[in-house]
């Protein structure tokens, strides 16, 4: 089989829930990222894009079921360009990139685009359909913004607890203190703010038309341990997880251009990274935060390298506790320094619009490898209901 390569990546700034991107439809966010990616490669004829894979965790509203196809049409691409939408919850756009890379490697495509989008602000409420005509009772509208909804009564109760409760259980299992989580939360804001100030994200982010937002809206550059220590637990009265050490609700989109080695001239730019390995794993649903550990281990094994070789890690950072637990496991396996994980900040500061986060971590990882000159990096993501995904990149810039 041939290899697949990352040629370019972009994303929108990530907006806060009910913030600067609240007035932008989900499909318009997707189209913005897709058009921004194509604008970065003006030599590429859009007709030559063999397929588009788009991640999206909700899909119940303005996502319009197949938001990938909506993005293609709204971005002005030829109607002949096909598109599909992928839903693996938080891992949707990383899964989309994995699918696109496989398509290239087996020879079914030369050029593909992967991406993802989420407007958690605009996610609609849903109503269950009645089991009989003209019911007399009331019906409750359920939010589709995050988490379980309309749960099957056959699901064990321990599987359907909130994401926050899942991570309180994780901190109990690994004895990860509130102080350590708060320190990580403050680090995320500090590193994200520094990365923006130094221009790291300038070439990775495209503005959203009509929105007054040029940087990620959730970043708080002055976040201190003292301020975080005053926040009340969010999920248990005596818990350790607060609004300051977990990711917020967000809106945004991301996109990645992938291709074979032979299309550099067609695309009009050289590749920056090779997709060297892919991994996936699953645990009990309530342990989802720890699932990236084995996903990354599997991706490294398929790449033929070990943790000692890795010079950069991007993990989505849904909760500080799950990043710490994963990083601790990887340190035991040979990762040389925990500071290699999310060195440009993570979702606690940047934000976590579910369907877009996989494209963000993959694009950020490729840019980090180019900046540092390190050869190998890992992009990983935890996924609600117990799953994890990971990709190994090799720097070829």
């Amino acid at each position: 089989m041939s290899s697949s390569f990352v040629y370019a990546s972009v994303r929108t700034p990530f907006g806060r829930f009910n913030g600067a991107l609240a007035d932008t439809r989900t499909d318009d966010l997707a189209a913005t990222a897709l058009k921004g990616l194509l604008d970065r490669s003006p030599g590429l004829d859009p007709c030559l894009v063999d397929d588009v894979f788009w991640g999206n965790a909700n899909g119940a509203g303005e996502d319009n079921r197949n938001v990938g196809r909506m993005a293609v049409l709204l971005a002005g691409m030829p109607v002949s360009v096909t598109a599909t939408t992928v839903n693996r919850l938080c891992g949707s756009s990383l899964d989309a990139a994995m699918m696109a890379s496989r398509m290239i490697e087996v020879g079914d495509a030369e050029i593909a685009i992967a991406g993802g989008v989420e407007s958690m602000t605009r996610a609609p409420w849903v109503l269950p359909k009645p089991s009989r005509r003209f019911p007399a009772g009331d019906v409750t509208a359920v939010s589709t913004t995050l988490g379980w909804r309309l749960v099957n009564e056959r699901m064990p109760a321990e599987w359907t607890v909130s994401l926050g409760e899942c991570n309180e259980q994780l901190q109990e299992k690994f004895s990860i203190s509130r102080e350590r989580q708060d320190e990580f939360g403050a680090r995320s804001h500090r590193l994200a703010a520094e990365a923006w100030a130094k221009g790291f994200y300038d070439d990775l982010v495209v503005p959203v038309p009509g929105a007054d937002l040029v940087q990620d809206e959730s970043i708080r550059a002055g976040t201190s341990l003292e301020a975080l220590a005053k926040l009340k637990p969010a999920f248990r009265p005596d818990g350790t997880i607060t609004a300051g050490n977990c990711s917020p609700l967000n809106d945004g989109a991301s996109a990645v251009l992938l291709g074979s080695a032979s299309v550099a001239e067609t695309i009009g730019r050289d590749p920056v990274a090779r997709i060297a390995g892919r991994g996936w794993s699953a645990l009990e649903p309530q342990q989802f935060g720890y699932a990236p550990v084995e996903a990354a281990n599997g991706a490294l094994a398929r790449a033929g390298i070990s943790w000692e070789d890795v010079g950069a890690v991007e993990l989505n950072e849904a909760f500080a506790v799950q990043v710490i637990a994963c990083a601790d496991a990887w340190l035991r396996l040979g990762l040389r320094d925990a500071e290699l994980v999310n060195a440009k900040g993570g979702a606690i500061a940047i934000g976590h619009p579910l369907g877009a986060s996989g494209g963000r971590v993959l694009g950020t990882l490729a840019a980090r490898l180019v900046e540092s000159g390190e050869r190998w990096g890992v992009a990983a993501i935890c996924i609600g209901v117990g799953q994890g995904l990971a990709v190994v990149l090799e720097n070829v810039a």
Side-chain angles (χ1 to χ4, degrees):
M1 294 197 302
S2 62
S3 293
S4 58
F5 296 85
V6 173
Y7 278 84
S9 63
V10 301
R11 64 176 178 89
T12 68
F14 287 174
R16 290 181 63 85
F17 185 83
N18 208 25
L21 301 182
D23 292 332
T24 306
R25 287 175 56 109
T26 310
D27 47 8
D28 285 328
L29 280 175
T32 295
L34 182 53
K35 187 176 185 304
L37 185 71
L38 293 170
D39 289 345
R40 298 297 174 91
S41 300
L44 171 61
D45 182 349
C47 291
L48 298 179
V49 175
D50 292 300
D51 209 350
V52 173
F53 298 82
W54 210 261
N56 182 230
N58 277 322
E62 294 163 346
D63 321 68
N64 222 325
R65 295 191 176 127
N66 185 359
V67 72
R69 178 62 173 169
M70 305 304 155
V72 164
L73 298 175
L74 290 169
M77 295 184 72
V79 296
S80 58
V81 176
T82 55
T84 189
T85 295
V86 179
N87 187 351
R88 204 191 286 249
L89 302 181
C90 306
S92 296
S93 53
L94 192 60
D95 205 9
M98 292 165 71
M99 292 178 179
S101 66
R102 291 188 190 103
M103 191 177 191
I104 291 165
E105 289 168 19
V106 300
D108 285 343
E110 290 291 326
I111 302 170
I113 292 174
V117 66
E118 211 73 56
S119 176
M120 300 178 81
T121 298
R122 298 176 73 89
W125 295 287
V126 296
L127 292 171
K129 283 189 175 180
S131 57
R132 59 187 178 84
R133 292 184 300 165
F134 311 122
D138 297 330
V139 179
T140 301
V142 180
S143 173
T144 65
T145 295
L146 182 70
W148 293 86
R149 69 206 59 143
L150 306 178
V151 181
N152 191 317
E153 63 182 14
R154 295 174 54 237
M155 282 285 184
E158 63 270 23
W159 287 359
T160 62
V161 296
S162 72
L163 301 178
E165 172 58 27
C166 291
N167 280 272
E168 288 286 7
Q169 294 178 24
L170 195 66
Q171 73 84 17
E172 286 181 331
K173 180 177 181 178
F174 292 104
S175 300
I176 297 171
S177 68
R178 161 77 183 268
E179 292 72 23
R180 196 175 174 199
Q181 294 175 57
D182 284 350
E183 287 173 359
F184 191 89
R187 171 188 182 268
S188 183
H189 285 279
R190 173 175 56 82
L191 292 178
E194 289 176 358
W196 269 107
K198 294 177 180 178
F200 176 82
Y201 286 115
D202 289 353
D203 290 336
L204 293 176
V205 175
V206 294
V208 176
D212 184 18
L213 186 64
V214 296
Q215 295 187 3
D216 302 306
E217 195 174 11
S218 297
I219 298 172
R220 297 292 180 262
T223 299
S224 67
L225 287 175
E226 293 75 19
L228 293 180
K230 295 177 182 178
L231 297 176
K232 294 181 179 180
F235 301 100
R236 292 182 181 179
D238 59 346
T240 64
I241 297 173
T242 73
N245 58 36
C246 67
S247 61
L249 306 178
N250 296 94
D251 310 327
S254 63
V256 182
L257 178 62
L258 300 107
S260 66
S262 62
V263 299
E265 185 174 348
T266 303
I267 290 175
R269 61 193 307 160
D270 292 327
V272 294
R274 179 177 70 92
I275 305 288
R278 294 171 290 259
W280 50 95
S281 67
L283 301 168
E284 292 83 356
Q286 67 271 30
Q287 296 186 40
F288 78 93
Y290 199 63
V293 172
E294 283 306 315
N297 293 344
L300 288 170
R302 292 180 181 91
I305 62 171
S306 66
W307 278 108
E308 287 88 348
D309 301 305
V310 173
V313 180
E314 285 291 318
L315 180 58
N316 62 310
E317 202 174 278
F319 293 80
V321 65
Q322 61 90 201
V323 183
I324 294 168
C326 291
D328 286 351
W330 294 330
L331 286 167
R332 292 191 293 270
L333 293 169
L335 179 66
R336 60 181 184 261
D337 191 343
E339 292 301 310
L340 295 174
V341 179
N342 295 359
K344 304 297 182 180
I348 290 173
I350 293 169
H352 184 20
L354 307 179
S357 287
R360 178 189 73 80
V361 298
L362 191 64
T364 302
L365 179 66
R368 283 183 59 194
L369 292 176
V370 171
E371 180 189 63
S372 68
E374 292 280 357
R375 182 177 179 184
W376 301 102
V378 174
I381 200 160
C382 67
I383 302 166
V385 203
Q387 298 190 86
L389 291 177
V391 170
V392 172
L393 291 183
E394 180 185 17
N395 181 5
V396 298

